[in-house]
Amino acid sequence: MILPIFIASLLFASSSFAAVQDFCVGDLNGPEGPAGYSCKKAAKVTVDDFVFSGLGAGGNTSNIIKAAVTPAFSAQFPGVNGLGISMARLDLAAGGVIPMHTHPGASEVLVVVQGSICAGFISSANAVYFKSLKKGDIMVFPQGLLHFQINAGGSPALAFVSFSSPVPGLQILDYALFGNNLPTELIAQTTFLDPATIKKLKGVLGGSG
Amino acid sequence: MILPIFIASLLFASSSFAAVQDFCVGDLNGPEGPAGYSCKKAAKVTVDDFVFSGLGAGGNTSNIIKAAVTPAFSAQFPGVNGLGISMARLDLAAGGVIPMHTHPGASEVLVVVQGSICAGFISSANAVYFKSLKKGDIMVFPQGLLHFQINAGGSPALAFVSFSSPVPGLQILDYALFGNNLPTELIAQTTFLDPATIKKLKGVLGGSG
Amino acid sequence: MILPIFIASLLFASSSFAAVQDFCVGDLNGPEGPAGYSCKKAAKVTVDDFVFSGLGAGGNTSNIIKAAVTPAFSAQFPGVNGLGISMARLDLAAGGVIPMHTHPGASEVLVVVQGSICAGFISSANAVYFKSLKKGDIMVFPQGLLHFQINAGGSPALAFVSFSSPVPGLQILDYALFGNNLPTELIAQTTFLDPATIKKLKGVLGGSG
Amino acid sequence: MILPIFIASLLFASSSFAAVQDFCVGDLNGPEGPAGYSCKKAAKVTVDDFVFSGLGAGGNTSNIIKAAVTPAFSAQFPGVNGLGISMARLDLAAGGVIPMHTHPGASEVLVVVQGSICAGFISSANAVYFKSLKKGDIMVFPQGLLHFQINAGGSPALAFVSFSSPVPGLQILDYALFGNNLPTELIAQTTFLDPATIKKLKGVLGGSG
Amino acid sequence: MILPIFIASLLFASSSFAAVQDFCVGDLNGPEGPAGYSCKKAAKVTVDDFVFSGLGAGGNTSNIIKAAVTPAFSAQFPGVNGLGISMARLDLAAGGVIPMHTHPGASEVLVVVQGSICAGFISSANAVYFKSLKKGDIMVFPQGLLHFQINAGGSPALAFVSFSSPVPGLQILDYALFGNNLPTELIAQTTFLDPATIKKLKGVLGGSG
Amino acid sequence: MILPIFIASLLFASSSFAAVQDFCVGDLNGPEGPAGYSCKKAAKVTVDDFVFSGLGAGGNTSNIIKAAVTPAFSAQFPGVNGLGISMARLDLAAGGVIPMHTHPGASEVLVVVQGSICAGFISSANAVYFKSLKKGDIMVFPQGLLHFQINAGGSPALAFVSFSSPVPGLQILDYALFGNNLPTELIAQTTFLDPATIKKLKGVLGGSG
C-alpha cells in the first residue's frame, strides 16, 4: 500500500498557525489580554513548555500555619495559558491550616495524596459543607466560594488541587482584610469586627492603616 | 411596491423555536440545568416577563446596618434567565453599610443615583482600591473579589448595580462566617479570630456551633 | 494569636500576574485581540481605572430626537475590559426618542431613574413586546434584537442601561441605512422603501450614493 | 499480539454518559434551557439524527422577492443542538433578494455554489462592506449586523450559509417593522418613516396597527 | 456591637435559587441538556455530593495493558456537573500502557504521584512532544490531541489527571478503530492499514465487520 | 421630516472602537493570544478582508488518496478571526478518501455539493455513525471525534465543510502516527501495531524513528 503525498501541503498550511490552533504557551514578556498571555512562537515551543517540575517538592511548612501552597498557574507554568486548567500543591504539616480563602476565577477539585484533611466550603445560600477526607478522596469546591483545608490527622498531609482556569486567582481572607492598607475604620464598618481585633491582626499580617 | 408572501413560511419555521433562539424566560417550576432554568413556552411569554417592578421601592433600611439590597436575579426576574445579565438595588440610609461580600459568579458595575457612596474592592494580589463616589459615578468590581459599599454622606444614598450573570450569587462575609452552624473551632483555625469574638458575632447573626 | 509569615511568599507569586488574574484594565494604545484590549500593567492600575464619571451629566438633548446616549463601553471606560459588563446613560427630553437600534454583541437591561419611558423590542419570531415603564422599573432586551425607547411623559426622562459585554456595539437602524454611502438602489432592493424616501432620509442623515 | 480486556470496563463507564459527552441530539418535546433542547437518549440516537436532507431542494422562489431561505437550525435539524453550528440554504432566482436582516445570535459564513451574489453588511461604526461574489467565493458576516444578499447575475444563484450557533435567530428588517402589530405611530417615531409609507408596507406584509 | 437582622430577608431570596447560583449537582435521572445534567434540588444536596471516594483504590491492572483508568466525570461524580472540571486516576503496573487516545471535550493536566511515566502528545502541526516524568512532575495535554502514557520504570506508577470539563470524553484509538462494527473495508480505506492487520486487531478487541 | 444631528457624536464614539466591537480581522504579524490573532486596525479593514476566493478552485487530487482539503481557517482567511466560524473545501476524485482525522477544537458540518460521499464518525461510547450522503445532504460531526469521508460514487465529489471555530485544528491519524519522529517503539506500545507495519507506513509518510 502506498500513501499520500498530498498531506505535505496540508502540513505547510497547518504549521503556520499551530500556536493558536492547539495551544498558546504563554510568553510572559509579551502583551497580556483578557484571555491570557500572548502565545510563544510555535517553532520555539518544546516539550519542556508543557512539563512543570515545581510541584515536585513541598513548600516550607515551618511557619505559623504549618502549611504551604505552591501554585502552577499560567504565571508559573505558561504551558497552561489558554487551556482552561491549572494546578497547585498543598502541604499541611501536623496541625497545618490553609486559611479561609476563595478563587475568584475558578472551581477547584482536590485529591488527598497523603494523610487526612478536613475541607469545607460555604455556599451563597449560607449552607456549610465540610468533611474529613482520607487518602484518595476527592472534593470539589464551586467557583468563588469561601473554603478551607485543615490537616485532620497527626502526620503531614499532601494534596493536589486543580482549577478550571489557568488564572484562578487566590484571595486569602485574613490577608485581604489585614495584610494591606485598607483603613481599620473601613474594615470595622464592613466586617463588624472591633478596631482592637483588627489592629492586632494587622500587626501580625503586616497591614497598616 | 408589492412585498413577499414567502416570508410566511419563514415565520412558521422561526416561531417554533423562538424561545431558545432569542430568549429563555425562566420557568421556576421546571428542571434547572447548569446554564439556568428551563424556558417558559414562547407562546405564553408576554412583555411582563421582560419587565420587573420590584426595584421601584427601596428595601427597609430600619435595621442595624441601615441598608438593604433588593435583587433582580433570575429567581426574582425570570426574564433575565440565560441572558448573561441581572440587576439589584442598593439603599443606604445615613450611616448605612453594605458589608464586605463577594459575588462568586459575576462582575458588577454600580451607578450612584442619589447621595454619595464609598466603595472598594481588594484584589487577589492584595491591592486595595476604594473611592468616594458621587451621584452619576460608576464603578466596576471584578468577579469574585471582596468588596463593600458605605454611605459616604449624611443623607440616604441609592445605587443600582448590574451583574454579568443572571445568577451572580451573593456571599456576605459575616453571614458566611457567623450566620450558620460552621463550628467555632473551624472558624477560629481558618480565620485566626479568637473564639470569644466568633461566639459574640454568632450570637448576633443567628449562628450556632 | 500570631499569624503566618508564609503568606509573603504567596504574595510574590500572585502579584506578578495580578492583571490577568482578576482584571485587565484596557490599554487603548496596545494591541487588541478578539477578547478585547491588552491589559494595562497591574502596577500602574489605580482605583481611578475602575471609576468613570462620564455618566454624571446627561448628553445634549437639544437636537431633533431630543435625546442623547452616553456610553461607558471599554473604549470610554477601560476598566470594564474583559469583565463582561458595561453601561450607558440615556437622556430623553420631553418628546425624546432613542430610535430603533440593536446591540449586536450584548443583552441589555434598563432601569428608569426619572420620568417614564415606553420601551420595546421585536423578536426573531416577529412578536412585539413593549410597555410604558415608570421610575424604578427595569426591562431586559435580549441580544441583537431591534428595540427602542421613547419618552412616555411630558418631562425629561433618565435611564441607565447595562450590557452583558464591554463591547456591546450599537447599530442605529436609520443611521445604518441612510447615514453612509450604501447605494440607494441596494437599500431600495433590500428594504422595499422607494428611492425617493431613501434619498430624503439620506439628505437628513448625511448619507450619499 | 493480544489486546486489552480492560477496556470493556471503560466501555461501561463511558456508554452511560455518551449523550452529554460528545453530543446532545435535541429532543424537541423535552424541556428547553438557555443552552438548547434536552438531549435525546443516546441509546436511541442513530446516524439519521446527524444527517439532514432538507437542504437538498431549493425553496420556492416564485414569490415577489424571487428568493427562499431554508434553515437547518436545531429546530429543523436537532443533531446540531449544543454543537455551536448550523446551516441554511439560500436560493435566489434571477432578480432575487434576501432582504436586509440580522442573526442576533451568530456570525455567518456564506459560500456561493452557483451564480453570482452581491452581498454586504453594515458595521456598528456605520461602515459599509459589500461586494459581488462569484462561484466558490466565501464571505463572513459578523454577529448581529445588518446584511443582505442579492442575485448579481441573470441566472439562478445558490448559496449555503453556516452559523456559529445552532440557534442563530433571524430578524428580517421589513418583517420586524411591518409584519406585526407594532403601532404605526411607534414605528414612525423610531424610524423617521412617514405613517403613509409605513401603512402601505404593513398592508403588503400583513401587519396591523 | 450589634448586627443586622436585615440579612434574613436576603437569606430567603438567596436560598430559593441556591442550586443554580453556586453549583448544580447532577441529577442523573433528570433530563440532560447541552450544558449537562439537571440540578438536584439544593435542599437535598449534602457534602457527600461534593466528595467522591471512588479514586481511592486503583483499578485492576491484571490485564494485557497492565493499566487501568478510573474516571470521576459527572456521570460518576455528579458534584462536578456544570463546574468545568473533573478528574480520573491512572494506574500503571510495571510495563503498563495507557494507549493512544483523545479527550474530545477537555484539556488535561497530569500529576505523577508514584513511579515514573513517559507521556506525550502530537499536535495538529504534527509536532511530537513527549518526556519521561518523575514523581511530582505535571504535564498538560491540550484539548482533543492524541496522547499516551507509559510506565517508564520497573515499578507501579500512579497519576491523577484533571480535565477542564466535567464531560471530557475519552476516545481510545484502538478501541475506536477495532472494537466496534465499523466495516474493515472502511477502516482500511481511511487508515491505510491492510485488512489482515485490521481483522486481527478486531479479533482481539471484540470488533466485528 | 427632519432628522438627528446628534448621531454624529455617537459616530465619533463608536468609530474609535469598531474593530473590537463587531469584528477583529486577524493581523497575522501581530501578537497572538489564546483567543486568536491581534486585530487589524479598523480603519484599514476593507470588504476584501471579509471575502476569500481561495475555495473557488479545488485542490490537486492527483495524489494517492485522490483527494484534497483546502482550508479557510483564520490563518488563511483572517476575516474569521474571533468570529467562531470557518470553512474548508473537500475535493474527492473517484476513489478519493479523506483519511480518518479529528478537529480538536471544533464541531463540523458538511454539505455535499456534487457527487456522493460516505461519511462517518465514532463516538466516545464507541458507537459508529456512517451513511452515504447525496448531493444536498448535510451531516454534522461533533467536536474532537474521529471521522472520515470517502467518495461513494464513480465521479468526482465536492463538499464544503464549516467549523464552529476559526481555528478548528486538523489531526490526520496516519500523519500523526507515521509522519513525524515519534519512535516506532512508542507507537507500537500505544497502538498495538507491530513495528514492521509501523515502519512501512513511516516510509510512505515521511516519518522517522
Side-chain angles (χ1 to χ4, degrees):
Chain A
M1 181 172 294
I2 312 177
L3 277 173
I5 311 279
F6 95 108
I7 301 179
S9 59
L10 274 175
L11 176 61
F12 296 149
S14 62
S15 65
S16 68
F17 60 102
V20 168
Q21 190 169 17
D22 292 332
F23 49 75
C24 174
V25 174
D27 172 3
L28 303 193
N29 297 316
E32 301 174 42
Y37 293 105
S38 294
C39 311
K40 190 173 172 177
K41 294 286 181 193
K44 298 196 171 178
V45 170
T46 73
V47 67
D48 291 324
D49 287 302
F50 300 110
V51 176
F52 183 67
S53 296
L55 303 192
N60 183 0
T61 60
S62 296
N63 52 39
I64 301 300
I65 60 161
K66 301 172 181 166
V69 178
T70 311
F73 301 167
S74 60
Q76 293 82 33
F77 181 22
V80 295
N81 186 51
L83 293 183
I85 201 153
S86 63
M87 289 194 76
R89 172 188 176 125
L90 305 188
D91 287 277
L92 293 144
V97 173
I98 305 293
M100 196 70 80
H101 65 286
T102 63
H103 302 287
S107 291
E108 169 184 341
V109 63
L110 172 151
V111 56
V112 180
V113 168
Q114 180 188 322
S116 72
I117 292 176
C118 174
F121 70 88
I122 306 162
S123 79
S124 284
N126 217 29
V128 176
Y129 303 92
F130 69 97
K131 191 168 187 176
S132 189
L133 309 173
K134 62 182 182 305
K135 184 178 169 181
D137 284 351
I138 66 175
M139 183 168 181
V140 66
F141 306 88
Q143 177 168 342
L145 299 178
L146 283 165
H147 61 290
F148 61 89
Q149 289 98 10
I150 301 178
N151 191 327
S155 59
L158 169 62
F160 288 100
V161 290
S162 302
F163 300 94
S164 62
S165 166
V167 279
L170 171 58
Q171 185 160 57
I172 300 171
L173 179 55
D174 268 69
Y175 197 51
L177 294 178
F178 311 119
N180 51 40
N181 63 350
L182 185 60
T184 294
E185 187 183 11
L186 286 181
I187 302 172
Q189 282 181 280
T190 59
T191 65
F192 310 118
L193 295 171
D194 59 275
T197 297
I198 295 166
K199 283 181 181 297
K200 188 177 67 176
L201 289 165
K202 282 200 170 203
V204 180
L205 280 156
S208 59
Chain B
M1 182 172 295
I2 310 179
L3 278 172
I5 311 279
F6 94 107
I7 301 181
S9 61
L10 275 176
L11 175 61
F12 296 148
S14 61
S15 65
S16 69
F17 59 103
V20 169
Q21 190 170 18
D22 292 331
F23 49 75
C24 174
V25 174
D27 171 3
L28 301 193
N29 297 317
E32 299 174 42
Y37 292 106
S38 294
C39 310
K40 190 174 173 178
K41 295 284 181 195
K44 295 195 172 179
V45 169
T46 72
V47 67
D48 292 324
D49 287 301
F50 300 110
V51 176
F52 183 66
S53 296
L55 303 190
N60 183 1
T61 59
S62 298
N63 53 40
I64 302 299
I65 59 162
K66 300 175 180 166
V69 177
T70 310
F73 301 167
S74 61
Q76 292 83 33
F77 180 22
V80 295
N81 186 52
L83 294 183
I85 201 155
S86 64
M87 289 194 76
R89 171 188 177 127
L90 306 188
D91 287 276
L92 294 146
V97 173
I98 306 293
M100 196 70 79
H101 65 285
T102 64
H103 301 288
S107 292
E108 170 184 340
V109 62
L110 172 152
V111 57
V112 180
V113 167
Q114 180 189 321
S116 72
I117 292 175
C118 174
F121 70 88
I122 306 162
S123 79
S124 283
N126 217 29
V128 176
Y129 303 91
F130 69 97
K131 191 169 187 176
S132 189
L133 309 174
K134 63 183 184 303
K135 184 179 170 182
D137 284 351
I138 66 176
M139 182 168 181
V140 66
F141 306 88
Q143 178 167 340
L145 298 178
L146 284 165
H147 61 290
F148 61 88
Q149 290 97 13
I150 301 177
N151 190 327
S155 59
L158 169 63
F160 288 100
V161 289
S162 302
F163 300 95
S164 63
S165 166
V167 281
L170 171 57
Q171 185 160 56
I172 300 171
L173 179 56
D174 268 69
Y175 197 50
L177 295 178
F178 311 119
N180 51 41
N181 62 351
L182 185 60
T184 294
E185 188 184 10
L186 287 180
I187 302 173
Q189 283 182 278
T190 59
T191 65
F192 311 117
L193 294 171
D194 59 275
T197 298
I198 295 167
K199 283 182 182 296
K200 188 176 68 176
L201 288 165
K202 281 200 171 202
V204 180
L205 279 157
S208 61
Chain C
M1 180 173 295
I2 311 178
L3 277 173
I5 311 282
F6 96 107
I7 301 180
S9 60
L10 275 175
L11 176 61
F12 297 147
S14 61
S15 64
S16 69
F17 58 105
V20 169
Q21 190 170 17
D22 292 330
F23 49 76
C24 175
V25 174
D27 171 3
L28 302 193
N29 297 317
E32 298 176 43
Y37 293 107
S38 294
C39 311
K40 189 174 172 178
K41 295 285 182 195
K44 296 196 173 178
V45 169
T46 72
V47 66
D48 291 324
D49 287 300
F50 301 109
V51 176
F52 183 66
S53 296
L55 303 191
N60 182 2
T61 60
S62 297
N63 53 40
I64 301 300
I65 60 162
K66 300 174 181 166
V69 178
T70 312
F73 301 167
S74 61
Q76 293 81 34
F77 180 22
V80 296
N81 186 50
L83 293 183
I85 201 154
S86 64
M87 290 194 75
R89 171 187 177 127
L90 306 187
D91 288 275
L92 293 144
V97 173
I98 305 293
M100 196 71 79
H101 65 287
T102 63
H103 303 287
S107 292
E108 169 184 341
V109 61
L110 172 151
V111 56
V112 180
V113 167
Q114 180 189 323
S116 71
I117 292 175
C118 175
F121 71 88
I122 307 162
S123 79
S124 283
N126 217 28
V128 176
Y129 303 93
F130 69 97
K131 191 168 186 176
S132 189
L133 309 173
K134 64 183 182 304
K135 183 179 170 182
D137 285 351
I138 66 175
M139 183 168 181
V140 65
F141 305 88
Q143 177 168 343
L145 299 178
L146 284 165
H147 62 289
F148 61 88
Q149 290 98 10
I150 302 177
N151 191 328
S155 61
L158 169 63
F160 288 99
V161 290
S162 302
F163 301 93
S164 63
S165 166
V167 280
L170 170 57
Q171 185 159 57
I172 300 171
L173 180 55
D174 268 70
Y175 197 51
L177 294 178
F178 311 120
N180 50 41
N181 63 350
L182 185 61
T184 294
E185 187 183 11
L186 286 181
I187 302 173
Q189 281 183 280
T190 59
T191 65
F192 310 118
L193 295 170
D194 60 273
T197 296
I198 294 167
K199 284 182 180 298
K200 188 177 67 177
L201 288 164
K202 283 200 170 202
V204 180
L205 280 157
S208 62
Chain D
M1 181 171 295
I2 311 178
L3 276 171
I5 311 282
F6 95 107
I7 302 180
S9 60
L10 275 176
L11 176 61
F12 297 149
S14 62
S15 64
S16 69
F17 57 104
V20 169
Q21 189 170 17
D22 293 331
F23 48 75
C24 173
V25 174
D27 172 2
L28 302 192
N29 297 316
E32 299 174 43
Y37 292 107
S38 293
C39 311
K40 190 174 173 178
K41 295 285 180 194
K44 297 195 171 178
V45 169
T46 72
V47 67
D48 292 324
D49 288 301
F50 300 109
V51 176
F52 183 67
S53 296
L55 304 190
N60 183 1
T61 60
S62 298
N63 52 42
I64 301 300
I65 61 162
K66 299 176 181 164
V69 178
T70 311
F73 301 166
S74 62
Q76 292 83 34
F77 180 22
V80 295
N81 187 51
L83 294 183
I85 201 153
S86 64
M87 289 195 76
R89 173 188 175 124
L90 305 188
D91 288 276
L92 294 144
V97 173
I98 306 293
M100 196 70 80
H101 65 286
T102 64
H103 302 287
S107 292
E108 170 184 340
V109 62
L110 173 151
V111 57
V112 179
V113 168
Q114 179 188 322
S116 70
I117 293 175
C118 174
F121 70 89
I122 306 161
S123 78
S124 283
N126 217 29
V128 177
Y129 303 92
F130 69 97
K131 190 167 187 177
S132 190
L133 309 173
K134 62 184 183 304
K135 183 178 170 180
D137 284 352
I138 66 175
M139 181 169 182
V140 65
F141 306 89
Q143 176 167 339
L145 299 178
L146 284 165
H147 62 289
F148 61 88
Q149 289 97 11
I150 302 177
N151 191 328
S155 59
L158 168 63
F160 288 100
V161 289
S162 301
F163 300 95
S164 62
S165 165
V167 281
L170 171 57
Q171 184 159 58
I172 301 171
L173 180 56
D174 268 69
Y175 197 51
L177 295 178
F178 312 119
N180 51 41
N181 62 352
L182 185 61
T184 294
E185 187 184 11
L186 286 181
I187 302 172
Q189 283 182 279
T190 58
T191 64
F192 311 117
L193 295 170
D194 61 274
T197 297
I198 295 167
K199 283 182 181 296
K200 188 177 67 176
L201 288 165
K202 281 200 170 201
V204 180
L205 279 157
S208 61
Chain E
M1 181 172 291
I2 312 178
L3 278 173
I5 310 280
F6 95 107
I7 301 180
S9 61
L10 274 175
L11 176 62
F12 297 148
S14 61
S15 65
S16 69
F17 57 103
V20 169
Q21 189 170 18
D22 292 331
F23 50 75
C24 173
V25 174
D27 172 3
L28 302 192
N29 297 316
E32 298 174 43
Y37 292 106
S38 294
C39 311
K40 190 173 172 177
K41 294 286 181 193
K44 297 196 172 178
V45 170
T46 72
V47 67
D48 291 325
D49 287 301
F50 300 110
V51 176
F52 182 67
S53 296
L55 303 191
N60 183 1
T61 60
S62 297
N63 53 41
I64 302 300
I65 60 162
K66 299 175 181 165
V69 177
T70 311
F73 301 167
S74 61
Q76 292 83 33
F77 180 22
V80 296
N81 186 52
L83 293 184
I85 200 153
S86 63
M87 289 194 76
R89 172 188 176 125
L90 306 188
D91 287 276
L92 294 145
V97 173
I98 305 293
M100 198 68 81
H101 65 286
T102 63
H103 302 286
S107 293
E108 170 185 340
V109 63
L110 172 150
V111 57
V112 180
V113 168
Q114 181 188 321
S116 71
I117 293 175
C118 174
F121 70 88
I122 306 161
S123 79
S124 283
N126 217 29
V128 177
Y129 303 92
F130 69 97
K131 189 168 189 177
S132 190
L133 308 174
K134 62 182 183 304
K135 183 178 170 183
D137 284 353
I138 66 176
M139 182 168 181
V140 66
F141 306 89
Q143 178 168 339
L145 298 179
L146 283 166
H147 62 289
F148 60 89
Q149 288 98 13
I150 301 177
N151 191 327
S155 60
L158 169 63
F160 288 100
V161 290
S162 302
F163 300 95
S164 63
S165 164
V167 282
L170 171 58
Q171 185 159 58
I172 299 170
L173 179 56
D174 267 69
Y175 197 50
L177 294 179
F178 311 119
N180 51 40
N181 63 350
L182 186 60
T184 294
E185 188 184 8
L186 287 181
I187 302 173
Q189 283 182 279
T190 59
T191 65
F192 310 118
L193 295 171
D194 60 275
T197 297
I198 295 168
K199 283 183 183 294
K200 188 177 68 176
L201 288 165
K202 282 200 171 203
V204 180
L205 281 157
S208 60
Chain F
M1 179 172 296
I2 311 177
L3 277 173
I5 310 280
F6 94 106
I7 301 180
S9 60
L10 274 175
L11 176 59
F12 296 148
S14 62
S15 64
S16 68
F17 58 104
V20 169
Q21 190 168 19
D22 292 331
F23 48 74
C24 173
V25 174
D27 171 3
L28 301 193
N29 296 316
E32 299 175 42
Y37 293 106
S38 295
C39 311
K40 189 173 171 177
K41 295 285 180 193
K44 297 195 171 178
V45 170
T46 73
V47 67
D48 291 325
D49 287 300
F50 301 109
V51 176
F52 183 67
S53 295
L55 304 191
N60 183 0
T61 60
S62 298
N63 52 40
I64 301 298
I65 60 162
K66 300 175 181 165
V69 178
T70 311
F73 301 167
S74 60
Q76 293 82 33
F77 180 23
V80 296
N81 186 51
L83 293 183
I85 201 154
S86 64
M87 289 194 77
R89 172 186 175 126
L90 306 187
D91 287 274
L92 293 144
V97 173
I98 305 294
M100 196 70 79
H101 65 286
T102 62
H103 302 287
S107 291
E108 170 183 341
V109 63
L110 172 151
V111 57
V112 180
V113 167
Q114 179 188 323
S116 71
I117 293 174
C118 174
F121 70 89
I122 306 163
S123 79
S124 284
N126 217 28
V128 177
Y129 303 92
F130 69 96
K131 192 169 187 176
S132 190
L133 309 174
K134 63 182 184 304
K135 183 178 170 181
D137 284 351
I138 67 176
M139 182 169 181
V140 66
F141 306 89
Q143 177 167 343
L145 298 178
L146 283 165
H147 61 289
F148 61 88
Q149 288 99 12
I150 301 177
N151 190 328
S155 59
L158 169 63
F160 288 100
V161 290
S162 302
F163 300 94
S164 61
S165 165
V167 280
L170 171 58
Q171 185 160 58
I172 299 171
L173 180 56
D174 268 69
Y175 197 51
L177 294 179
F178 312 119
N180 51 42
N181 62 350
L182 185 59
T184 294
E185 187 184 10
L186 286 181
I187 302 173
Q189 282 183 280
T190 59
T191 65
F192 311 117
L193 295 171
D194 60 273
T197 297
I198 295 167
K199 284 182 182 295
K200 187 178 67 175
L201 288 165
K202 282 201 170 199
V204 180
L205 279 157
S208 61

